[in-house]
Amino acid sequence: MFHHSPNAYVIFDESLAIVGCNEAYLHAVGRRQVDDIAGKNLFDAFPSAPDSPSHVLLRRSLERVIATHERDHIAVIPYDTSAPGEPPKMRYWSATHTPIFDRDGTFRYILQHTVDVTELQRLRERGARDQIAEAGVLQRAREVQAVNQAITAEHEMLQDMFEQAPGFMAILAGPAHTFILANEAYTRLVGGREILGKSVIDALPEIIGQGFVDILDRVYTSGEHFIGEGVGLTLMSDDGSEASERYLDFIYQPIFAEDGKVSGIFVQGHDVTDKVEAERLRTLQNRELGHRLKNQLAIVQAIVNQTLRASPDVETARGGISARLRALAAAHDSLISGTSEYTTVGEIVDNTVGLLSGERSQRFFIRGPEMKIGSQAALSLSLILHELSTNAVKYGALSNDTGSVSIEWRGDATGNDQEFELAWREDGGPRVSPPTSAGSGTRLINAGLSGARSCDVDIDFAPTGLTCTVRADLASIQE
Protein backbone atom coordinates (compact mmCIF):
# COMPACT_ATOMS: atom_id res chain seq x y z
CA MET A 1 0.00 0.00 0.00
CA PHE A 2 2.87 2.35 0.87
CA HIS A 3 4.80 1.77 -2.36
CA HIS A 4 1.76 1.76 -4.67
CA SER A 5 -0.01 4.78 -3.13
CA PRO A 6 -0.49 7.70 -5.56
CA ASN A 7 0.39 10.03 -2.67
CA ALA A 8 4.06 10.95 -2.24
CA TYR A 9 5.54 9.64 1.03
CA VAL A 10 9.08 9.70 2.48
CA ILE A 11 10.30 8.55 5.91
CA PHE A 12 13.04 10.19 8.04
CA ASP A 13 14.65 9.02 11.27
CA GLU A 14 15.43 11.34 14.20
CA SER A 15 18.69 12.47 12.58
CA LEU A 16 16.65 13.44 9.47
CA ALA A 17 18.30 10.68 7.42
CA ILE A 18 16.04 9.34 4.65
CA VAL A 19 14.94 5.80 5.54
CA GLY A 20 12.77 5.13 2.50
CA CYS A 21 10.15 6.52 0.14
CA ASN A 22 7.55 5.32 -2.36
CA GLU A 23 7.39 5.55 -6.16
CA ALA A 24 5.10 8.60 -6.08
CA TYR A 25 7.69 10.51 -4.05
CA LEU A 26 10.51 9.59 -6.46
CA HIS A 27 8.39 10.84 -9.35
CA ALA A 28 7.48 14.08 -7.51
CA VAL A 29 11.10 14.98 -6.73
CA GLY A 30 12.54 13.74 -10.03
CA ARG A 31 14.64 10.82 -8.77
CA ARG A 32 14.91 7.40 -10.47
CA GLN A 33 15.42 5.02 -7.56
CA VAL A 34 15.36 4.94 -3.77
CA ASP A 35 19.10 4.27 -3.54
CA ASP A 36 19.75 7.75 -4.98
CA ILE A 37 18.63 9.33 -1.70
CA ALA A 38 18.25 6.56 0.93
CA GLY A 39 20.62 6.93 3.88
CA LYS A 40 21.38 10.57 3.12
CA ASN A 41 20.41 13.45 5.35
CA LEU A 42 17.39 15.29 3.93
CA PHE A 43 19.37 18.52 3.51
CA ASP A 44 22.22 16.67 1.79
CA ALA A 45 19.88 14.91 -0.63
CA PHE A 46 18.06 18.21 -1.34
CA PRO A 47 20.54 21.01 -0.51
CA SER A 48 19.42 24.53 0.37
CA ALA A 49 21.06 27.53 1.98
CA PRO A 50 20.73 27.18 5.79
CA ASP A 51 19.51 30.77 6.12
CA SER A 52 16.98 30.55 3.29
CA PRO A 53 13.25 30.74 4.17
CA SER A 54 12.68 27.29 2.66
CA HIS A 55 15.40 25.65 4.74
CA VAL A 56 14.28 27.43 7.94
CA LEU A 57 10.59 26.51 7.49
CA LEU A 58 11.29 22.86 6.70
CA ARG A 59 13.82 22.30 9.47
CA ARG A 60 11.64 24.05 12.05
CA SER A 61 8.64 21.88 11.17
CA LEU A 62 10.66 18.65 11.45
CA GLU A 63 12.31 19.72 14.70
CA ARG A 64 8.87 20.59 16.11
CA VAL A 65 7.71 17.01 15.44
CA ILE A 66 10.85 15.58 17.09
CA ALA A 67 10.40 17.82 20.14
CA THR A 68 6.61 17.47 20.61
CA HIS A 69 5.86 14.10 18.93
CA GLU A 70 2.84 15.81 17.35
CA ARG A 71 1.85 16.24 13.69
CA ASP A 72 2.95 19.48 12.00
CA HIS A 73 1.90 21.09 8.72
CA ILE A 74 3.55 23.40 6.19
CA ALA A 75 0.87 24.94 4.00
CA VAL A 76 3.20 26.23 1.26
CA ILE A 77 6.98 26.08 0.96
CA PRO A 78 9.19 26.76 -2.09
CA TYR A 79 11.96 24.16 -2.45
CA ASP A 80 14.44 23.17 -5.15
CA THR A 81 14.44 19.37 -5.67
CA SER A 82 16.91 19.22 -8.56
CA ALA A 83 19.61 16.54 -8.44
CA PRO A 84 23.28 17.55 -8.23
CA GLY A 85 24.46 18.88 -11.57
CA GLU A 86 20.91 19.55 -12.85
CA PRO A 87 19.43 23.00 -13.48
CA PRO A 88 17.42 24.34 -10.50
CA LYS A 89 13.81 23.14 -10.37
CA MET A 90 12.05 25.41 -7.87
CA ARG A 91 8.66 23.98 -6.98
CA TYR A 92 6.06 24.84 -4.33
CA TRP A 93 5.02 22.11 -1.88
CA SER A 94 2.48 21.49 0.85
CA ALA A 95 3.71 19.02 3.46
CA THR A 96 2.43 17.17 6.51
CA HIS A 97 4.90 15.67 9.00
CA THR A 98 3.51 12.84 11.13
CA PRO A 99 5.36 11.16 14.06
CA ILE A 100 5.59 7.34 13.82
CA PHE A 101 5.85 5.21 16.97
CA ASP A 102 6.73 1.53 17.47
CA ARG A 103 4.37 -0.89 19.22
CA ASP A 104 5.85 0.12 22.60
CA GLY A 105 4.97 3.77 21.99
CA THR A 106 8.58 4.86 21.36
CA PHE A 107 9.02 7.65 18.79
CA ARG A 108 11.01 6.28 15.81
CA TYR A 109 10.35 8.07 12.51
CA ILE A 110 8.75 11.03 10.73
CA LEU A 111 6.42 10.36 7.79
CA GLN A 112 6.28 13.24 5.28
CA HIS A 113 3.29 13.47 2.95
CA THR A 114 4.17 15.89 0.15
CA VAL A 115 1.91 17.53 -2.45
CA ASP A 116 3.25 19.63 -5.35
CA VAL A 117 1.17 22.86 -5.32
CA THR A 118 3.28 24.77 -7.84
CA GLU A 119 0.34 25.32 -10.21
CA LEU A 120 -1.81 26.77 -7.43
CA GLN A 121 1.02 29.04 -6.27
CA ARG A 122 1.60 30.35 -9.79
CA LEU A 123 -2.13 30.87 -10.16
CA ARG A 124 -2.09 32.89 -6.94
CA GLU A 125 0.83 35.01 -8.14
CA ARG A 126 -0.84 35.59 -11.51
CA GLY A 127 -4.07 36.45 -9.73
CA ALA A 128 -2.22 38.86 -7.45
CA ARG A 129 -0.71 40.69 -10.43
CA ASP A 130 -4.10 40.88 -12.14
CA GLN A 131 -5.76 42.24 -9.01
CA ILE A 132 -3.16 44.94 -8.51
CA ALA A 133 -4.06 46.34 -11.95
CA GLU A 134 -7.67 46.90 -10.90
CA ALA A 135 -8.68 50.20 -9.34
CA GLY A 136 -11.92 49.38 -7.52
CA VAL A 137 -12.61 47.00 -4.66
CA LEU A 138 -15.73 45.58 -6.35
CA GLN A 139 -13.88 44.95 -9.59
CA ARG A 140 -11.12 43.12 -7.66
CA ALA A 141 -13.74 40.90 -6.07
CA ARG A 142 -15.29 40.12 -9.48
CA GLU A 143 -11.87 39.19 -10.88
CA VAL A 144 -11.23 36.77 -7.99
CA GLN A 145 -14.63 35.19 -8.56
CA ALA A 146 -13.99 34.88 -12.32
CA VAL A 147 -10.64 33.16 -11.75
CA ASN A 148 -12.21 30.75 -9.27
CA GLN A 149 -14.95 29.84 -11.74
CA ALA A 150 -12.38 29.16 -14.48
CA ILE A 151 -10.01 26.83 -12.63
CA THR A 152 -10.08 23.08 -13.18
CA ALA A 153 -11.21 20.43 -10.70
CA GLU A 154 -7.58 19.85 -9.69
CA HIS A 155 -7.13 23.53 -8.97
CA GLU A 156 -10.32 23.56 -6.92
CA MET A 157 -8.92 20.73 -4.82
CA LEU A 158 -5.73 22.70 -4.23
CA GLN A 159 -7.79 25.77 -3.38
CA ASP A 160 -9.59 23.68 -0.75
CA MET A 161 -6.20 22.74 0.67
CA PHE A 162 -5.36 26.44 0.90
CA GLU A 163 -8.61 27.17 2.71
CA GLN A 164 -8.36 24.22 5.10
CA ALA A 165 -4.66 24.52 5.94
CA PRO A 166 -4.17 24.62 9.73
CA GLY A 167 -1.78 27.56 9.44
CA PHE A 168 -3.05 31.03 8.55
CA MET A 169 -2.36 32.29 5.01
CA ALA A 170 -3.17 35.43 3.07
CA ILE A 171 -2.07 37.27 -0.09
CA LEU A 172 -1.62 41.03 -0.01
CA ALA A 173 -1.48 43.06 -3.22
CA GLY A 174 0.25 46.34 -3.98
CA PRO A 175 2.03 48.88 -1.77
CA ALA A 176 -1.19 49.38 0.25
CA HIS A 177 -1.10 45.65 1.16
CA THR A 178 -4.67 44.92 0.10
CA PHE A 179 -6.15 41.54 1.05
CA ILE A 180 -7.09 39.55 -2.07
CA LEU A 181 -7.00 36.07 -0.51
CA ALA A 182 -7.20 34.80 3.08
CA ASN A 183 -7.88 31.29 4.33
CA GLU A 184 -10.18 30.19 7.13
CA ALA A 185 -7.39 30.09 9.73
CA TYR A 186 -6.49 33.73 8.96
CA THR A 187 -10.14 34.77 9.22
CA ARG A 188 -10.40 33.05 12.62
CA LEU A 189 -7.23 34.80 13.79
CA VAL A 190 -8.72 38.25 13.10
CA GLY A 191 -12.07 37.42 14.68
CA GLY A 192 -14.09 36.70 11.53
CA ARG A 193 -13.82 40.21 10.15
CA GLU A 194 -14.51 40.98 6.48
CA ILE A 195 -11.04 41.82 5.18
CA LEU A 196 -10.99 40.97 1.45
CA GLY A 197 -10.60 44.06 -0.71
CA LYS A 198 -9.36 46.15 2.24
CA SER A 199 -5.86 47.33 3.00
CA VAL A 200 -4.17 45.99 6.12
CA ILE A 201 -4.55 49.37 7.84
CA ASP A 202 -8.28 49.58 7.04
CA ALA A 203 -9.00 45.94 7.90
CA LEU A 204 -6.91 45.81 11.08
CA PRO A 205 -6.51 49.39 12.37
CA GLU A 206 -5.35 48.24 15.81
CA ILE A 207 -2.03 46.98 14.41
CA ILE A 208 -0.96 50.52 13.50
CA GLY A 209 2.00 51.27 15.72
CA GLN A 210 2.76 47.59 16.41
CA GLY A 211 5.43 47.40 13.71
CA PHE A 212 3.77 45.02 11.24
CA VAL A 213 2.97 47.62 8.58
CA ASP A 214 6.59 48.84 8.68
CA ILE A 215 7.81 45.28 8.12
CA LEU A 216 5.40 44.79 5.19
CA ASP A 217 6.62 48.04 3.64
CA ARG A 218 10.22 46.89 4.01
CA VAL A 219 9.52 43.49 2.40
CA TYR A 220 7.63 45.14 -0.47
CA THR A 221 10.41 47.68 -1.07
CA SER A 222 13.44 45.41 -0.63
CA GLY A 223 12.07 42.16 -2.07
CA GLU A 224 13.55 40.29 0.92
CA HIS A 225 11.48 37.94 3.05
CA PHE A 226 10.93 38.38 6.79
CA ILE A 227 10.57 35.60 9.39
CA GLY A 228 9.08 36.32 12.81
CA GLU A 229 9.07 33.90 15.74
CA GLY A 230 6.89 34.29 18.83
CA VAL A 231 5.99 37.88 17.86
CA GLY A 232 3.34 39.50 20.07
CA LEU A 233 0.23 40.99 18.47
CA THR A 234 -2.75 42.76 20.05
CA LEU A 235 -6.04 42.25 18.20
CA MET A 236 -9.43 43.78 18.92
CA SER A 237 -12.80 42.06 18.72
CA ASP A 238 -15.00 42.90 15.73
CA ASP A 239 -16.93 45.54 17.73
CA GLY A 240 -13.72 46.95 19.25
CA SER A 241 -14.80 46.21 22.82
CA GLU A 242 -12.21 43.59 23.78
CA ALA A 243 -8.48 43.18 23.15
CA SER A 244 -6.61 39.87 23.01
CA GLU A 245 -2.87 39.21 23.03
CA ARG A 246 -1.67 36.63 20.50
CA TYR A 247 1.79 35.31 19.62
CA LEU A 248 2.68 34.30 16.06
CA ASP A 249 5.34 32.45 14.06
CA PHE A 250 5.07 33.81 10.50
CA ILE A 251 6.81 34.64 7.23
CA TYR A 252 6.27 37.53 4.81
CA GLN A 253 7.33 36.25 1.37
CA PRO A 254 7.47 38.76 -1.53
CA ILE A 255 5.59 37.83 -4.75
CA PHE A 256 7.42 38.90 -7.90
CA ALA A 257 5.85 39.95 -11.22
CA GLU A 258 7.29 38.95 -14.61
CA ASP A 259 9.33 42.16 -14.72
CA GLY A 260 11.06 41.13 -11.46
CA LYS A 261 9.35 43.76 -9.34
CA VAL A 262 7.42 42.92 -6.17
CA SER A 263 3.68 42.83 -6.84
CA GLY A 264 2.44 41.55 -3.47
CA ILE A 265 3.26 39.62 -0.31
CA PHE A 266 2.37 36.07 0.70
CA VAL A 267 1.67 35.74 4.44
CA GLN A 268 1.89 32.35 6.15
CA GLY A 269 2.21 31.35 9.78
CA HIS A 270 0.89 29.73 12.95
CA ASP A 271 -0.72 31.01 16.13
CA VAL A 272 1.68 29.87 18.90
CA THR A 273 -0.01 31.69 21.79
CA ASP A 274 -0.62 28.50 23.77
CA LYS A 275 3.03 27.47 23.38
CA VAL A 276 4.35 30.89 24.47
CA GLU A 277 2.02 31.05 27.47
CA ALA A 278 2.97 27.49 28.46
CA GLU A 279 6.66 28.45 28.32
CA ARG A 280 5.96 31.54 30.45
CA LEU A 281 4.07 29.44 33.01
CA ARG A 282 6.89 26.90 33.09
CA THR A 283 9.42 29.70 33.68
CA LEU A 284 7.27 31.12 36.47
CA GLN A 285 6.89 27.69 38.06
CA ASN A 286 10.64 27.10 37.91
CA ARG A 287 11.30 30.44 39.59
CA GLU A 288 8.71 29.67 42.25
CA LEU A 289 10.21 26.22 42.80
CA GLY A 290 13.66 27.75 43.20
CA HIS A 291 12.29 30.27 45.70
CA ARG A 292 10.60 27.52 47.71
CA LEU A 293 13.72 25.35 47.71
CA LYS A 294 15.80 28.25 49.05
CA ASN A 295 13.24 28.81 51.82
CA GLN A 296 13.24 25.13 52.77
CA LEU A 297 17.03 24.99 52.80
CA ALA A 298 17.02 27.99 55.12
CA ILE A 299 14.58 26.21 57.45
CA VAL A 300 16.69 23.03 57.45
CA GLN A 301 19.84 25.04 58.09
CA ALA A 302 18.18 26.81 61.04
CA ILE A 303 16.97 23.49 62.49
CA VAL A 304 20.45 21.96 62.23
CA ASN A 305 22.23 25.00 63.69
CA GLN A 306 19.85 25.38 66.64
CA THR A 307 19.88 21.66 67.41
CA LEU A 308 23.67 21.41 67.30
CA ARG A 309 24.10 24.42 69.61
CA ALA A 310 21.70 22.99 72.21
CA SER A 311 22.78 19.32 72.08
CA PRO A 312 25.38 17.95 74.55
CA ASP A 313 26.73 15.35 72.09
CA VAL A 314 26.57 14.23 68.45
CA GLU A 315 24.13 11.35 69.06
CA THR A 316 21.63 13.65 70.76
CA ALA A 317 21.99 16.17 67.93
CA ARG A 318 21.51 13.44 65.32
CA GLY A 319 18.28 12.27 66.95
CA GLY A 320 16.92 15.80 67.33
CA ILE A 321 17.71 16.78 63.75
CA SER A 322 16.22 13.56 62.39
CA ALA A 323 12.97 13.97 64.34
CA ARG A 324 12.51 17.60 63.31
CA LEU A 325 13.17 16.82 59.65
CA ARG A 326 10.55 14.05 59.80
CA ALA A 327 8.06 16.59 61.13
CA LEU A 328 9.01 18.97 58.32
CA ALA A 329 8.58 16.19 55.75
CA ALA A 330 5.14 15.33 57.16
CA ALA A 331 4.08 18.95 56.72
CA HIS A 332 5.29 18.85 53.12
CA ASP A 333 3.25 15.69 52.56
CA SER A 334 0.13 17.58 53.63
CA LEU A 335 0.89 20.39 51.20
CA ILE A 336 1.62 18.06 48.29
CA SER A 337 -1.37 15.77 48.84
CA GLY A 338 -3.73 18.76 49.00
CA THR A 339 -2.62 21.65 46.79
CA SER A 340 0.71 23.22 46.04
CA GLU A 341 0.16 26.17 48.40
CA TYR A 342 -2.37 25.29 51.09
CA THR A 343 -3.19 22.60 53.63
CA THR A 344 -5.47 22.64 56.70
CA VAL A 345 -4.71 22.98 60.40
CA GLY A 346 -6.42 19.61 60.96
CA GLU A 347 -4.07 17.86 58.52
CA ILE A 348 -1.01 19.35 60.23
CA VAL A 349 -2.28 18.21 63.65
CA ASP A 350 -3.13 14.71 62.39
CA ASN A 351 0.31 14.30 60.78
CA THR A 352 2.04 15.39 63.99
CA VAL A 353 0.05 12.96 66.13
CA GLY A 354 0.63 10.24 63.55
CA LEU A 355 4.40 10.47 64.11
CA LEU A 356 3.93 9.15 67.66
CA SER A 357 4.06 5.39 68.03
CA GLY A 358 1.80 3.03 69.95
CA GLU A 359 -1.03 4.03 72.22
CA ARG A 360 0.29 7.57 72.80
CA SER A 361 -1.36 8.71 69.57
CA GLN A 362 -4.70 7.59 71.05
CA ARG A 363 -4.43 9.94 74.04
CA PHE A 364 -5.15 13.15 72.15
CA PHE A 365 -8.40 15.11 72.15
CA ILE A 366 -8.49 17.16 68.95
CA ARG A 367 -11.10 19.74 68.02
CA GLY A 368 -11.27 22.61 65.56
CA PRO A 369 -12.97 23.88 62.40
CA GLU A 370 -11.89 23.15 58.81
CA MET A 371 -9.40 25.96 58.30
CA LYS A 372 -6.84 26.40 55.53
CA ILE A 373 -3.29 27.55 56.25
CA GLY A 374 -0.56 28.73 53.88
CA SER A 375 2.64 26.82 53.25
CA GLN A 376 4.96 29.04 55.35
CA ALA A 377 2.76 28.97 58.44
CA ALA A 378 2.02 25.24 57.95
CA LEU A 379 5.70 24.30 58.13
CA SER A 380 6.37 26.34 61.29
CA LEU A 381 3.14 25.10 62.97
CA SER A 382 4.19 21.53 62.24
CA LEU A 383 7.57 22.11 63.91
CA ILE A 384 5.94 23.77 66.95
CA LEU A 385 3.55 20.84 67.44
CA HIS A 386 6.42 18.39 66.99
CA GLU A 387 8.44 20.10 69.75
CA LEU A 388 5.45 20.09 72.09
CA SER A 389 4.83 16.39 71.34
CA THR A 390 8.47 15.50 71.94
CA ASN A 391 8.51 17.34 75.28
CA ALA A 392 5.23 15.68 76.30
CA VAL A 393 6.70 12.23 75.60
CA LYS A 394 9.94 12.97 77.48
CA TYR A 395 8.70 14.99 80.46
CA GLY A 396 4.98 15.72 80.24
CA ALA A 397 1.56 14.11 79.96
CA LEU A 398 2.66 11.42 77.52
CA SER A 399 5.58 10.25 79.69
CA ASN A 400 3.28 8.10 81.87
CA ASP A 401 0.32 5.80 81.20
CA THR A 402 -2.49 8.14 82.26
CA GLY A 403 -1.80 11.59 80.84
CA SER A 404 -3.57 13.16 77.87
CA VAL A 405 -3.25 16.14 75.53
CA SER A 406 -5.96 18.35 74.02
CA ILE A 407 -5.41 20.44 70.92
CA GLU A 408 -8.05 23.03 69.98
CA TRP A 409 -8.02 25.83 67.44
CA ARG A 410 -10.39 28.50 66.21
CA GLY A 411 -10.55 31.65 64.08
CA ASP A 412 -12.48 34.53 65.73
CA ALA A 413 -13.34 38.06 64.68
CA THR A 414 -11.61 40.68 66.82
CA GLY A 415 -12.71 44.16 65.74
CA ASN A 416 -11.96 44.42 62.03
CA ASP A 417 -9.44 41.59 62.13
CA GLN A 418 -9.63 37.84 62.49
CA GLU A 419 -7.40 36.08 64.98
CA PHE A 420 -6.22 32.49 64.81
CA GLU A 421 -5.73 30.72 68.13
CA LEU A 422 -4.41 27.23 68.83
CA ALA A 423 -4.21 25.87 72.39
CA TRP A 424 -2.13 22.86 73.52
CA ARG A 425 -3.08 21.60 77.01
CA GLU A 426 -1.57 18.67 78.90
CA ASP A 427 -3.31 16.91 81.80
CA GLY A 428 -2.62 13.91 84.04
CA GLY A 429 1.15 13.89 83.64
CA PRO A 430 3.92 14.33 86.20
CA ARG A 431 4.09 17.56 88.15
CA VAL A 432 5.54 20.34 85.97
CA SER A 433 8.25 22.80 86.92
CA PRO A 434 9.63 25.58 84.70
CA PRO A 435 12.97 24.86 82.97
CA THR A 436 16.06 26.65 84.21
CA SER A 437 17.09 27.64 80.65
CA ALA A 438 15.49 27.78 77.18
CA GLY A 439 16.66 25.08 74.79
CA SER A 440 16.48 25.08 70.99
CA GLY A 441 12.98 23.54 71.08
CA THR A 442 11.65 26.33 73.29
CA ARG A 443 13.23 28.96 71.06
CA LEU A 444 11.64 27.32 68.01
CA ILE A 445 8.20 27.37 69.68
CA ASN A 446 8.57 31.02 70.75
CA ALA A 447 9.48 32.00 67.17
CA GLY A 448 5.79 31.54 66.32
CA LEU A 449 4.24 31.12 62.88
CA SER A 450 6.31 32.13 59.87
CA GLY A 451 4.65 34.64 57.56
CA ALA A 452 2.26 36.02 60.22
CA ARG A 453 1.98 39.81 60.41
CA SER A 454 1.58 39.42 64.19
CA CYS A 455 2.02 36.34 66.37
CA ASP A 456 2.19 35.77 70.15
CA VAL A 457 3.18 32.52 71.85
CA ASP A 458 2.37 31.98 75.55
CA ILE A 459 3.88 28.94 77.34
CA ASP A 460 2.58 28.29 80.88
CA PHE A 461 4.46 25.69 82.95
CA ALA A 462 1.55 25.13 85.36
CA PRO A 463 2.17 22.33 87.94
CA THR A 464 -0.84 20.37 86.65
CA GLY A 465 0.30 20.40 83.06
CA LEU A 466 1.95 22.55 80.40
CA THR A 467 -0.21 24.87 78.32
CA CYS A 468 0.92 26.56 75.09
CA THR A 469 -1.25 29.08 73.25
CA VAL A 470 -0.39 30.43 69.79
CA ARG A 471 -2.24 33.51 68.53
CA ALA A 472 -1.71 35.06 65.08
CA ASP A 473 -3.33 37.24 62.44
CA LEU A 474 -5.54 34.80 60.49
CA ALA A 475 -5.43 36.45 57.06
CA SER A 476 -1.63 36.55 56.88
CA ILE A 477 -1.09 32.88 57.86
CA GLN A 478 -3.60 31.84 55.20
CA GLU A 479 -1.67 33.59 52.40
Side-chain angles (χ1 to χ4, degrees), residues 43 48-49 52-59 77-80 90 251:
F43 295 105
S48 61
S52 66
S54 304
H55 186 104
V56 171
L57 281 174
L58 182 56
R59 180 175 290 277
I77 177 173
Y79 211 96
D80 179 11
M90 183 61 69
I251 181 171

Side-chain angles (χ1 to χ4, degrees), residues 212-398:
F212 293 92
V213 177
D214 294 336
I215 297 172
L216 287 169
D217 289 342
R218 190 160 63 247
V219 171
Y220 190 88
T221 302
S222 68
E224 297 179 355
H225 70 273
F226 176 86
I227 296 177
E229 295 186 358
V231 180
L233 167 67
T234 301
L235 290 171
M236 302 298 296
S237 60
D238 195 22
D239 58 5
S241 62
E242 185 177 350
S244 63
E245 186 77 12
R246 313 303 298 172
Y247 293 90
L248 311 176
D249 285 353
F250 66 93
I251 181 171
Y252 289 158
Q253 183 72 42
I255 300 172
F256 295 94
E258 292 181 357
D259 59 3
K261 295 182 179 179
V262 177
S263 60
I265 296 175
F266 176 63
V267 181
Q268 189 265 332
H270 295 272
D271 186 338
V272 294
T273 304
D274 292 342
K275 176 184 175 183
V276 171
E277 290 180 347
E279 290 175 350
R280 283 183 172 180
L281 177 59
R282 184 162 51 250
T283 300
L284 179 63
Q285 289 172 334
N286 288 338
R287 289 177 179 173
E288 177 65 15
L289 177 60
H291 174 69
R292 287 172 182 262
L293 286 175
K294 289 179 181 178
N295 285 343
Q296 301 321 306
L297 289 173
I299 292 174
V300 171
Q301 186 177 27
I303 289 173
V304 172
N305 289 338
Q306 285 195 21
T307 306
L308 288 174
R309 284 198 300 268
S311 299
D313 53 60
V314 173
E315 289 301 321
T316 302
R318 182 184 293 116
I321 291 172
S322 178
R324 285 166 179 163
L325 292 182
R326 283 198 301 272
L328 191 65
H332 275 291
D333 287 342
S334 296
L335 291 166
I336 294 171
S337 62
T339 68
S340 61
E341 298 182 14
Y342 299 105
T343 184
T344 66
V345 176
E347 288 175 319
I348 293 296
V349 172
D350 289 342
N351 281 339
T352 302
V353 174
L355 292 174
L356 299 176
S357 59
E359 51 83 26
R360 286 192 178 97
S361 62
Q362 308 300 318
R363 291 154 60 185
F364 281 83
F365 299 94
I366 300 170
R367 184 171 63 185
E370 183 78 9
M371 182 181 296
K372 75 175 184 178
I373 184 171
S375 58
Q376 279 189 292
L379 297 177
S380 53
L381 178 60
S382 179
L383 291 172
I384 289 172
L385 292 174
H386 168 71
E387 294 300 327
L388 292 170
S389 299
T390 301
N391 290 334
V393 170
K394 289 182 177 180
Y395 318 111
L398 300 180

